[in-house]
Amino acid sequence: MSAGYELIAEKLAARGDDIARVEAALRAQAVETPSWAFGNSGTRFAVFAQPGAPRDPFEKLEDAAEVHRLTGVAPSVALHIPWDKVDNVDELRARAAELGLRIGAINPNLFQEPEYKLGSLCNPEAGVRRRAVEHILECIEIAVRVGSDAISLWLADGTNYPGQDSLRARRGRLVDALHEVYGALDSGMELLVEYKLYEPAFYATDLADWGSALLVCQELGERANVLVDLGHHAQGVNIEQIVSLLYGAGRLGGFHFNDRKYGDDDLIVGSIDPFQLFRIFFELVDVGAFEGRVRFTIDQSHNVEPKIEAVIQSVLNLQEAYAKALLVDRSELENAQSGGDVLAANRILVDAYNTDVRPLCAKVREELAASADPIAAFRAGGYADRVAQARMHGTAAAWI
Ligand code: RM4
Ligand code: MN
Ligand code: MN
């Protein structure tokens, strides 16, 4: 066993803890990858096509399977409809199973059709709202057929100018439409409600923050839960506190993981602010969120970096953040907190964050029959070259 691993094991043993506890938790971690991260996507200025980008949802599943094969902790794939619409949904489900994957949350797309210029569920025109509801109902049907148990809803709805529409009326339309959608969920199916501060609307977004999303969920019923996308807050917002609050209210549905420097940048999770990611995972460990039904999905867009490698790296960053959070000495932390020892308490968190957990994570991945070094294995394995050859002809799946 590597020296790095032994060091962690000894440290835990010395305080009466057991590294087996940490390893078992890490083995049970499950990250959902997004089908759309594998296709070509970009900024509103340019989409740079990459060789080997998948041409259809089946090929997106193949890429997701490669990520799971190497990391061992990415067993499900979220779909975006209509980007991932296929003639035969049963085939998609079967192909996923063949590849050792499950289909995760189904994401309706209510932001690209010309009709949605003034919004979808909040649109002033009843006909457009109907169309939007019908699309979600279609997504529920797809979810049933592919064996998915969640509809993950993000609305681009909002207004650009004060006075453009009545904020109150829009809220009313939103709640009415969501009641219909909620009522149509299959039994055991969950509705995830995602919020976002701004963009594409620049004056007032209809679901702009966790509070507006939570109120809607509480009105709908217990199978409506809030989804936290790390890129959807104002600068400086304490996301881990939101996470802890939502969990406490029984309404933390899940995450869209990514990182950002300025806006909704959709960069690799943990690439800009790994300490924030650690703090979020610490809150999750602290409240016991891993025993529940919280979904951990990546939501990223890889424009200049190779996509599959970027998703692998994202999964590794999530694994390392979780591992570090599991290492926090919680009984010492409680002592320091109750004794009012401000700096000792802070040092206990920082100490776990500063631990090199890479050897521990490598061991866990090996036990899962995945790879000790997924990035090196991916680069050496030739998958990228193979798909670049095999997918040379035809049109790559693209965001736009
Ligand atoms: C949005 C939001 C949604 C995602 C789209 C592509 O900003 O994060 O979750 O589906 O982007
Ligand atoms: Mn998102
Ligand atoms: Mn986003």
Side-chain angles (χ1 to χ4, degrees):
M1 208 47 64
S2 78
Y5 173 85
E6 292 300 346
L7 211 65
I8 299 173
E10 277 163 26
K11 206 169 163 184
L12 289 181
R15 61 183 199 226
D17 199 352
D18 189 355
I19 199 164
R21 165 190 71 84
V22 176
E23 289 175 42
L26 288 173
R27 279 196 303 271
Q29 188 179 14
V31 174
E32 190 157 306
T33 58
S35 70
W36 56 97
F38 299 107
N40 284 325
S41 66
T43 66
R44 63 200 164 94
F45 298 102
V47 170
F48 300 109
Q50 292 189 12
R55 295 164 296 182
D56 57 38
F58 295 95
E59 292 180 349
K60 292 180 193 173
L61 288 180
E62 288 171 17
D63 292 357
E66 177 70 357
V67 174
H68 183 43
R69 185 179 75 79
L70 293 166
T71 62
V73 292
S76 65
V77 186
L79 301 184
H80 223 298
I81 305 295
W83 295 339
D84 295 320
K85 218 166 157 172
V86 292
D87 293 338
N88 189 340
V89 177
D90 302 326
E91 272 178 31
L92 201 62
R93 181 184 187 154
R95 182 68 183 133
E98 218 171 71
L99 290 163
L101 298 171
R102 273 181 294 104
I103 304 288
I106 304 296
N107 292 246
N109 185 319
L110 296 166
F111 47 88
Q112 279 188 313
E113 305 301 323
E115 287 85 339
Y116 297 142
K117 188 169 91 173
L118 300 180
S120 61
L121 298 183
C122 305
N123 195 294
E125 237 182 86
V128 178
R129 297 201 296 277
R130 179 93 311 262
R131 181 189 164 146
V133 169
E134 293 296 333
H135 174 60
I136 304 174
L137 299 181
E138 180 197 0
C139 287
I140 294 175
E141 269 172 47
I142 293 175
V144 171
R145 300 258 307 272
V146 295
S148 157
D149 60 358
I151 297 292
S152 192
L153 201 60
W154 172 68
L155 303 175
D157 288 50
T159 50
N160 269 0
Y161 293 95
Q164 178 187 323
D165 196 358
S166 153
L167 300 180
R168 189 175 34 83
R170 291 183 73 88
R171 180 75 182 178
R173 295 173 205 142
L174 173 68
V175 171
D176 285 351
L178 286 180
H179 270 296
E180 182 174 352
V181 165
Y182 187 80
L185 292 178
D186 201 47
S187 62
M189 200 178 267
E190 184 186 15
L191 182 69
L192 298 164
V193 180
E194 182 174 355
Y195 58 89
K196 175 169 163 172
L197 177 65
Y198 79 98
E199 191 197 49
F202 294 115
Y203 163 60
T205 296
D206 292 300
L207 281 170
D209 53 28
W210 66 272
S212 357
L214 176 64
L215 286 176
V216 156
C217 290
Q218 284 172 335
E219 189 156 335
L220 291 176
E222 57 184 20
R223 286 188 289 134
N225 291 308
V226 181
L227 184 137
V228 179
D229 183 313
L230 269 48
H232 289 189
H233 306 84
Q235 289 284 358
V237 163
N238 186 330
I239 301 177
E240 60 270 27
Q241 193 171 23
I242 296 173
V243 166
S244 166
L245 253 158
L246 287 174
Y247 190 83
R251 295 291 181 165
L252 179 64
F255 289 89
H256 271 177
F257 285 116
N258 49 59
D259 212 341
R260 55 82 80 90
K261 180 85 177 91
Y262 302 105
D264 186 20
D265 307 341
D266 283 337
L267 299 175
I268 292 173
V269 59
S271 62
I272 303 276
D273 191 350
F275 188 50
Q276 172 180 265
L277 187 63
F278 161 78
R279 296 193 307 265
I280 292 171
F281 270 87
F282 171 68
E283 289 304 321
L284 291 167
V285 168
D286 202 43
V287 297
F290 290 92
E291 285 108 60
R293 195 190 146 150
V294 180
R295 300 178 90 90
F296 297 91
T297 308
I298 291 169
D299 179 12
Q300 294 174 177
S301 163
H302 306 298
N303 196 19
V304 299
E305 66 276 37
K307 296 165 199 305
I308 303 172
E309 191 172 317
V311 179
I312 294 172
Q313 196 161 308
S314 308
V315 174
L316 299 183
N317 289 351
L318 290 168
Q319 189 177 44
E320 286 170 21
Y322 186 25
K324 290 178 179 196
L326 288 162
L327 293 183
V328 172
D329 188 337
R330 289 170 72 195
S331 73
E332 272 306 299
L333 183 63
E334 271 166 35
N335 288 341
Q337 287 174 346
S338 57
D341 195 339
V342 178
L343 292 182
N346 176 247
R347 270 195 301 269
I348 288 164
L349 274 199
V350 174
D351 179 56
Y353 174 69
N354 283 334
T355 311
D356 183 1
V357 293
R358 288 172 295 184
L360 165 64
C361 292
K363 176 172 182 279
V364 167
R365 285 192 299 271
E366 275 186 321
E367 281 164 4
L368 290 169
S371 170
D373 187 347
I375 298 286
F378 178 70
R379 289 196 163 201
Y383 182 90
D385 289 341
R386 277 199 303 283
V387 294
Q389 281 299 316
R391 301 172 183 172
M392 209 139 60
H393 305 293
T395 316
W399 203 85
I400 44 175

